[in-house]
Amino acid sequence: MSVILCTAGYDHTIRFWEALSGICTRQINFSDSQINRLCISPDKKYLAAAGHHTVKLYLVKSPNPSPYPPSSNQSSNNNSSSNNNSDTNPILTFTGHGSNITGVGFHIDTKWMVTSSEDGTVKIWDVRSGSIQRNYPHGSPVNDVVIHPNQGELISCDRAGNVRIWDLGENKCSHQLIPEEEVSVSSVSVASDGSLLAAGNNKGNVYVWRMVQMKDITSLVPVCRFQAHQTYITRVLLSPDVKHLATCSADHMVRIWAVDASATGGFGDEDDGSPSNSQQFGGKGQKEVVYGAGVNGGPREPGAFPLEATLQGHQRWVWDCAFSADSAYLVTACSDHFARLWELNSQSVIRQYNGHHRGAVCVALNDYSEGR
């Protein structure tokens, strides 16, 4: 199974797709709630599905896969799968959050899993037992969490406008960033080589920091700030080759930005790595950035990333996206019920995945030739 592509959303189903043909090969019913996030383990063995209070862990390769009903019967068979079927039952359920789970990620060796939640916490779980190993309070609903490639740090963001870095070795928050006071930070993404951190907020602004590792201490250097959309950003994602930044939005669009790590927008001060250090971008005296690279005819702000493409055709909010391993393709999930596979070079949809009966809000893709 070289390419694993899954989508899920508000119809309480997880769907596995043949990426090139667009055929749905498997459906899992998630009766508890809507599914907020999906994550495929690096070894391609497991799929984690995050819902309202629980995360359920499924085998990617089911030992007894149930046949998926033909597309003409999808509606009538939507809930037909037996709850006793081993294909639909999770192998483990993680309970402990008190509200919507907003982020999920696996350790590189699948030893542990991290989640974020609107209950105001980030939790680390033992994948084998399902027990909670760590609990980090945010003091505000947490919107997203990612694992640094060094596997020793977590980056999370919350509704109060904070971005926090958690040092797992020291078992504490080592950095607190405040891009804009009281503006919810909806999504964070860290580069595959650990060089950059990007965050997007509810005003449509993107913030980028350079992450410098010296003697086990991470320092953060502000790179740039720019307005990517005129309304809520729902997801920011750096590509595997760290050459592109994708931003999804409530404006029905996805924009692709060329990553320029040498850009200097002149925002904030350099972080000396002190655990008590906090940074604030914007505020009085800061120049407002209006669109990064000629969007809607606006000039490119100095230091902002150049706009490469605007992917149009979504009919409602775009909630999530996933890059292919070669960074040439992007899969998007939208409230219009569809997921789409885009070829970035031509900015065109080459496959549309039809089958969800309500909004598709999350997508997971792993097409790496080997586990990672």
Side-chain angles (χ1 to χ4, degrees):
M1 190 178 290
S2 58
V3 179
I4 304 165
L5 174 61
C6 312
T7 60
Y10 283 100
D11 64 358
H12 294 214
T13 67
I14 303 165
R15 295 172 188 263
F16 288 73
W17 306 90
E18 286 185 357
L20 294 180
S21 69
I23 296 172
C24 182
T25 59
R26 179 183 172 196
Q27 175 181 311
I28 297 173
N29 293 327
F30 194 97
S31 59
D32 295 2
S33 70
Q34 81 283 352
I35 302 104
N36 301 317
R37 297 295 298 273
L38 294 172
C39 186
I40 300 164
S41 63
D43 59 11
K44 298 185 179 182
K45 290 183 179 179
Y46 306 111
L47 173 71
H52 183 47
H53 287 87
T54 63
V55 176
K56 295 186 178 183
L57 194 67
Y58 299 92
L59 290 173
V60 167
K61 189 175 182 180
S62 175
N64 299 299
S66 58
Y68 182 73
S71 58
S72 60
N73 296 325
Q74 282 177 358
S75 179
S76 61
N77 288 283
N78 187 43
N79 296 311
S80 63
S81 297
S82 169
N83 288 334
N84 296 320
N85 193 314
S86 62
D87 183 53
T88 61
N89 277 353
I91 61 171
L92 195 61
T93 298
F94 301 83
T95 58
H97 279 299
S99 189
N100 270 322
I101 298 167
T102 55
V104 60
F106 284 101
H107 176 266
I108 190 68
D109 294 325
T110 322
K111 293 179 179 179
W112 49 264
M113 181 180 74
V114 65
T115 57
S116 60
S117 171
E118 291 177 354
D119 67 9
T121 67
V122 170
K123 298 183 190 297
I124 295 178
W125 309 78
D126 186 316
V127 172
R128 290 163 294 186
S129 67
S131 61
I132 298 171
Q133 294 183 323
R134 305 272 184 94
N135 183 72
Y136 297 124
H138 247 263
S140 178
V142 188
N143 293 325
D144 198 10
V145 64
V146 293
I147 303 172
H148 191 287
N150 65 18
Q151 306 298 300
E153 292 173 299
L154 306 175
I155 301 99
S156 55
C157 60
D158 66 32
R159 199 175 293 173
N162 301 293
V163 176
R164 299 180 191 269
I165 299 180
W166 305 91
D167 186 320
L168 301 185
E170 297 291 330
N171 197 27
K172 65 180 182 180
C173 177
S174 61
H175 301 75
Q176 178 183 359
L177 309 170
I178 309 172
E180 294 177 64
E181 286 277 6
E182 300 300 321
V183 179
S184 177
V185 180
S186 52
S187 180
V188 287
S189 179
V190 63
S192 58
D193 60 2
S195 62
L196 293 174
L197 170 64
N201 71 15
N202 278 4
K203 284 189 174 181
N205 294 326
V206 169
Y207 291 83
V208 182
W209 296 265
R210 187 177 299 109
M211 303 186 80
V212 181
Q213 197 90 21
M214 294 182 65
K215 297 180 180 180
D216 298 325
I217 297 175
T218 298
S219 295
L220 294 155
V221 181
V223 173
C224 63
R225 169 203 177 204
F226 59 94
Q227 189 173 10
H229 300 268
Q230 287 182 311
T231 185
Y232 307 111
I233 288 176
T234 54
R235 186 74 62 229
V236 295
L237 186 64
L238 288 158
S239 62
D241 64 4
V242 202
K243 293 181 179 179
H244 313 282
L245 173 69
T247 57
C248 304
S249 175
D251 64 9
H252 307 182
M253 288 185 284
V254 176
R255 290 195 166 111
I256 309 297
W257 309 85
V259 171
D260 181 4
S262 64
T264 53
F267 303 105
D269 300 315
E270 183 169 348
D271 174 11
D272 62 5
S274 170
S276 62
N277 182 77
S278 66
Q279 288 185 23
Q280 207 168 328
F281 283 66
K284 294 181 179 179
Q286 289 279 2
K287 182 180 178 182
E288 275 300 313
V289 180
V290 182
Y291 282 92
V295 179
N296 291 348
R300 178 187 172 193
E301 185 71 18
F305 289 172
L307 179 65
E308 291 185 313
T310 298
L311 307 182
Q312 301 186 68
H314 305 93
Q315 301 303 308
R316 295 182 184 175
W317 288 37
V318 188
W319 288 100
D320 200 6
C321 65
F323 278 101
S324 61
D326 62 4
S327 304
Y329 300 89
L330 188 77
V331 183
T332 58
C334 181
S335 285
D336 63 11
H337 305 185
F338 300 121
R340 295 169 174 85
L341 174 63
W342 299 81
E343 183 184 53
L344 297 182
N345 188 46
S346 63
Q347 302 179 33
S348 61
V349 176
I350 60 174
R351 189 65 59 216
Q352 185 165 281
Y353 306 101
N354 310 328
H356 286 290
H357 306 296
R358 297 184 69 185
V361 299
C362 51
V363 59
L365 171 66
N366 188 328
D367 64 333
Y368 286 85
S369 57
E370 297 180 358
R372 62 183 181 94

